[in-house]
Amino acid sequence: MSVPHDVAVAAPGVTLPGAAVIARIRRLISITVVAGVLYCVFLAGSKGGCAGGITGDGGFLDANGDLTDIAPSCVSLSLRPSPLMLLVFAGMVMFALRRVLRRAGDEDAAIRILDRTSVAVVLVAAVSVVIAQVWFGLIPLYGIGDSGTYIWPFPFATVDFVTSPMTPY
């Protein structure tokens, strides 16, 4: 009976050359996936309100408390993750792998590059969440329909902006 190909089996206690680098690549990918999921979980928020109100007999009040025939507008803002940031996380991993292939002269250099990228991914995710949540909290809810420029927390997050007239019920 002949063996179709030669199968090399490692002896017990002998590790694969480069196994440490492969383990760090797996760790980097796992950290990036977890950071991306946590980024998406912590970037959910909404706020809304109406500039005015309704009188006891069903009439409308404007933002100053004066009677009006026109229904005041209501504003709703929803915070959600930016797909661009997920691409940034993937790009950081691809950049690290490319750098390992081109610049790392030994295992230690490759591991150092991968570890630094893991830390960078976590920091970028955490800073993005903090910046987006603080920015979203500072967006004024009333007067947003007036003239003026409002800057949304791009690229850290996206904001959906919806206006609608107030309903009496």
Side-chain angles (χ1 to χ4, degrees), residues 74-129:
C74 297
V75 175
S76 175
L77 300 173
S78 298
L79 179 70
R80 57 189 179 91
S82 172
L84 182 63
M85 287 307 296
L86 299 176
L87 290 175
V88 167
F89 298 147
M92 291 172 75
V93 171
M94 297 307 291
F95 180 77
L97 294 177
R98 182 177 180 202
R99 190 170 168 112
V100 164
L101 288 173
R102 291 190 176 190
R103 300 239 174 138
D106 59 354
E107 262 188 22
D108 291 336
I111 289 172
R112 192 169 37 255
I113 291 168
L114 296 170
D115 286 346
R116 287 178 182 168
T117 304
S118 295
V119 171
V121 166
V122 171
L123 286 176
V124 167
V127 167
S128 296
V129 168

Side-chain angles (χ1 to χ4, degrees), residues 13-30:
V14 177
T15 59
L16 175 70
V21 174
I22 294 171
R24 293 300 171 126
I25 291 171
R26 182 182 60 205
R27 179 175 170 254
L28 172 62
I29 292 171
S30 299

